[in-house]
Every structure is written in structure tokens, then in C-alpha cells.
Amino acid sequence: MLKNILLVFLGGGFGSTGRYLVSQLLSKYKDSLGGFPIHTMTANLIGCLCIGLIIGYLSKNPNNTIQLLLVTGFCGGFTTFSTFSSEVLKLFQGGQTGMAVLYIGISLVICIAATLIGTLLTR
């Protein structure tokens, strides 16, 4: 158990640092793009590509250490959107289209609402 926690911790640290670096490199372009959050979009795209590549590899070569270090840790630290995308894809691939659409809708509406409520509660 301790080994698993350390793997997630290590991967998450690298993922979070990577996210920070991407944000620092690209946030200067946000104003020239009319406020479009290019740094967040780029991190989400990179994270989704990474989790797709890793999950694809792990489907042929199962390895719990790589799963914990790179999927749960690194990709989770880099962007949780990659995990969300992976879960939606699994639902679609498993024939659970209704559940996938429901998950997408609830995640977007409820999470945005929760963020709004959180900001309102701090005023």
C-alpha cells in the first residue's frame, strides 16, 4: 500500500509541475487570443493524449506500477480532464451511451455550478 501511495505521489508531483510549466509557457498568449485559456486547453490536450497512449499500452501490457505512476499520478496531477475523458470513452466503448452523456452533462453543469457556489460562499 505504501509503495502505491508513493508511486501516485511521485507521478502526481511530476504531473503538477508539468502543468505549471505549460501554464507558465503559454499563459502569455492568453491576452492575444482574446482571453482564450490556451494554457489550460493545451494541458488538457496533452494530458488526454498521454492518458490515451498509456492506457492503450497498458491494455496490451498490464502493469500496475505504470498505471499508478503515470495514469493515476502523472496524468491525474497534470489534468483531471484526461481521467474524465478516459472514463467517458470507456462508457461509450462499453455501449453505455446514455450513461456517458449523463456523466458529461452532470460533470459540466454540476461542476460549474459548484465552482460558482464556492465563489459565492466566499464573498
Side-chain angles (χ1 to χ4, degrees):
M1 178 65 144
L2 181 59
K3 176 189 169 193
N4 292 350
I5 291 169
L6 290 173
L7 286 167
V8 172
F9 176 79
L10 183 62
F14 282 113
S16 296
T17 301
R19 167 87 180 222
Y20 173 76
L21 292 173
V22 167
S23 291
Q24 290 300 300
L25 289 170
L26 297 178
S27 63
K28 60 186 169 193
Y29 299 108
K30 188 172 144 181
D31 290 337
S32 65
L33 296 171
F36 183 81
I38 188 70
H39 54 296
T40 302
M41 178 59 71
T42 301
N44 287 337
L45 288 171
I46 291 169
C48 289
L49 177 61
C50 284
I51 204 168
L53 290 168
I54 297 163
I55 288 172
Y57 172 80
L58 290 174
S59 71
K60 297 174 186 165
N61 307 286
N63 184 315
N64 192 50
T65 299
I66 292 174
Q67 169 83 29
L68 291 171
L69 180 69
L70 297 180
V71 174
T72 306
F74 181 82
C75 290
F78 194 76
T79 172
T80 57
F81 194 80
S82 60
T83 303
F84 168 75
S85 298
S86 172
E87 291 169 345
V88 168
L89 183 62
K90 283 180 191 174
L91 289 170
F92 277 123
Q93 289 174 334
Q96 296 178 282
T97 304
M99 186 69 72
V101 171
L102 180 65
Y103 182 39
I104 292 166
I106 288 173
S107 295
L108 292 176
V109 173
I110 300 289
C111 290
I112 292 170
T115 303
L116 174 62
I117 290 167
T119 60
L120 294 175
L121 289 173
T122 60
R123 289 190 180 164

